Amino acid sequence: MESSAAQARLAVLTKQFYPVSDDMHNLSLQGCAAGDSAAYERRNVADDDVVIVAALRTPLTKAKRGGLKDTDAVDLLATVFKAVLERTRVEPEALGDIVIGSVLGPSSQRANECRIASFFAGIPEVVPVRTVNRQCSSGLQAIADVAAAIKAGFYTVGLAGGVETMSSNPMAWEGGINPRIGEFPSAQGCMLPMGVTSENVAAKFGVNRKTQDEFAARSHRKAAAAKAAGKFRDEIVPVATKVKDPKTNTETPVVISEDDGVRGNATVESLGTLPAVFKKNGTTTAGNSSQVTDGAAAVLMMTRAEARRRGLPVLGVFRSFAAVGVDPSIMGIGPAVAIPAAVARAGLQLDDIDVFEINEAFASQAYYSVNKLGIDEAKVNPNGGAIALGHPLGATGARCTATLLHEMRRRGRAARFGVVSMCIGSGMGAAAVFETGGEVDPVNVRAVKGQTLLSKDAVV
């Protein structure tokens, strides 16, 4: 029996070597008329992909002067927690963990505030909460931590985000300094004010004052145009709060629904009148640095299989993350090192990235990073960056992610991959790669006139 079965299989294989019969000569044996692999490309999808189904933020407002100056971290976080759950209709008890980036808030107190915020948002006590602090990348680190936990199978649904209340928690060093720091040059760099590191980048890499002011003016113009066009509406959750009059202590109920730091009338000339802040005859000013800001953001994540089960559209796919170390005295160069690392981990090249959200801690370092990597500036911060919008340290990574993913969604087929990146105080950089959420390739698709595509994955 085994011998006859083998002979039958051999007979079938042998037929593959027969000459083409006369009645088959009209069939084409050429490549597909649509080109290489036809007019579509299948997307690499998997049920265990970590996807983002909601990414929202509060408005970003000026510390000490803006609309959220009297709003605490609990109310900021509760607002975005509740919003992402309500918009997706995900039951709060489904959350496996909540991870929140925070930098300046007192450590144990801020951890408690995040827990309290979860209760304010209607999240039950069975859902745990923790904080993470990797300086300016804390919000992005929170997203990476949740993505890693979901990928490892610790849970299926998680909430990441960040918060900063710079009105009530200004940047400061608490306590003494270890006297042995003088023995370690790199450690000394950790003690430099961030503005001094900006001056170091400008001096070392030749980024002059005019270049920085031009970069800053562009940030404001782009943010003003985006604001006027309503591009931030889908990502912003209005905050019902109160504003206190510093003279009378009178509290007035308000609803804050827009960013308040954007100056659409900023020009190179007006920025050029501002004095240097960190160094005599320096180039770093209040106008070409990020704004000190209050705000929060939240990102709801789960497996692709879970999103499909719930019928939730995928806003984006988390593809890779990298955190790197650099010289603390020029910490602003972090994105120039972190971005290539994250892009390589995603199996991509820089040219594959369609949109970059690079935090503008300072114009000097943001310009340097873009220029060093040879990135087309048209791809960078198309809706303005932290110079115009603000930099609430612990929330920035999550805020940038929300802005990136909503921008990619608006672009449709014109944007498949995006990057979020920032420099990090004490000498680091971080970056993450995201993919747009559709099920077919929105970039490589090309129409073929007169041809009917046979795959359900094909889109023209």
Side-chain angles (χ1 to χ4, degrees), residues 302-337:
M302 60 185 63
T303 62
R304 184 186 294 276
E306 182 68 12
R308 185 184 302 117
R309 184 184 75 80
R310 291 174 176 272
L312 291 172
V314 173
L315 185 59
V317 186
F318 182 92
R319 286 302 183 197
S320 71
F321 173 78
V324 302
V326 299
D327 180 351
S329 69
I330 49 172
M331 67 90 201
I333 70 171
V337 183

Side-chain angles (χ1 to χ4, degrees), residues 355-357 400-408 418-420 434:
V355 187
F356 293 82
E357 280 289 330
C400 288
T401 299
T403 302
L404 173 77
L405 294 179
H406 285 282
E407 174 64 20
M408 290 172 68
V419 162
V420 170
F434 298 88

Side-chain angles (χ1 to χ4, degrees), residues 54-372:
L56 301 172
R57 66 174 179 94
T58 68
L60 304 183
T61 69
K62 300 174 184 176
K64 305 288 188 181
R65 296 177 293 155
L68 298 176
K69 68 183 179 65
D70 300 310
T71 307
D72 67 11
V74 172
D75 287 331
L76 292 175
L77 284 173
T79 298
V80 289
F81 286 175
K82 190 173 182 180
V84 294
L85 293 172
E86 286 182 346
R87 293 196 187 187
T88 57
R89 299 183 180 180
V90 169
E91 61 281 10
E93 59 270 22
L95 296 173
D97 200 1
I98 300 173
V99 182
I100 299 300
S102 176
V103 178
L104 300 177
S107 179
S108 60
Q109 177 178 323
R110 184 49 51 88
N112 266 310
E113 288 172 335
C114 292
R115 177 73 163 154
I116 293 167
S118 72
F119 295 141
F120 278 28
I123 298 170
E125 62 186 28
V126 296
V127 178
V129 180
R130 71 174 172 89
T131 57
V132 59
N133 186 348
R134 198 196 288 269
Q135 306 282 59
C136 302
S137 71
S138 297
L140 187 61
Q141 186 67 57
I143 292 170
D145 286 2
V146 170
I150 291 175
K151 199 72 172 178
F154 294 163
Y155 47 83
T156 303
V157 182
L159 184 60
V163 65
E164 211 65 66
T165 49
M166 299 183 80
S167 291
S168 54
N169 302 113
M171 297 180 69
W173 182 273
E174 297 180 7
I177 299 173
N178 191 307
R180 294 184 58 217
I181 198 168
E183 302 171 21
F184 301 90
S186 292
Q188 293 173 41
C190 294
M191 302 305 301
L192 292 176
M194 295 298 95
V196 173
T197 71
S198 171
E199 292 285 5
N200 291 344
V201 169
K204 185 178 180 67
F205 301 106
V207 185
N208 62 38
R209 171 69 182 269
K210 183 180 179 182
T211 297
Q212 294 174 59
D213 288 346
E214 288 173 342
F215 188 96
R218 287 194 296 273
S219 182
H220 280 287
R221 284 199 303 271
K222 289 185 288 185
K227 188 175 178 180
K231 289 186 176 182
F232 297 129
R233 288 175 190 158
D234 288 344
E235 68 190 66
I236 289 181
V237 181
V239 179
T241 185
K242 77 283 184 183
V243 173
K244 185 182 295 185
D245 186 312
K247 295 181 179 179
T248 65
N249 270 345
T250 302
E251 292 186 353
T252 303
V254 294
V255 175
I256 306 300
S257 59
E258 292 187 333
D259 306 318
D260 68 10
V262 180
R263 300 191 299 276
N265 61 350
T267 64
V268 175
E269 291 72 27
S270 64
L271 292 172
T273 65
L274 299 175
V277 178
F278 300 98
K279 179 182 176 182
K280 186 178 181 180
N281 299 320
T283 59
T284 298
T285 72
N288 57 37
S289 305
S290 58
Q291 298 183 40
V292 180
T293 309
D294 299 315
V299 177
L300 186 60
M301 308 168 72
M302 60 185 63
T303 62
R304 184 186 294 276
E306 182 68 12
R308 185 184 302 117
R309 184 184 75 80
R310 291 174 176 272
L312 291 172
V314 173
L315 185 59
V317 186
F318 182 92
R319 286 302 183 197
S320 71
F321 173 78
V324 302
V326 299
D327 180 351
S329 69
I330 49 172
M331 67 90 201
I333 70 171
V337 183
I339 289 172
V343 169
R345 287 179 184 176
L348 301 171
Q349 297 179 342
L350 283 175
D351 288 345
D352 295 319
I353 308 303
D354 302 295
V355 187
F356 293 82
E357 280 289 330
I358 300 176
N359 186 46
E360 299 167 354
F362 301 96
S364 62
Q365 58 81 212
Y367 174 84
Y368 165 79
S369 297
V370 172
N371 189 58
K372 172 67 175 179

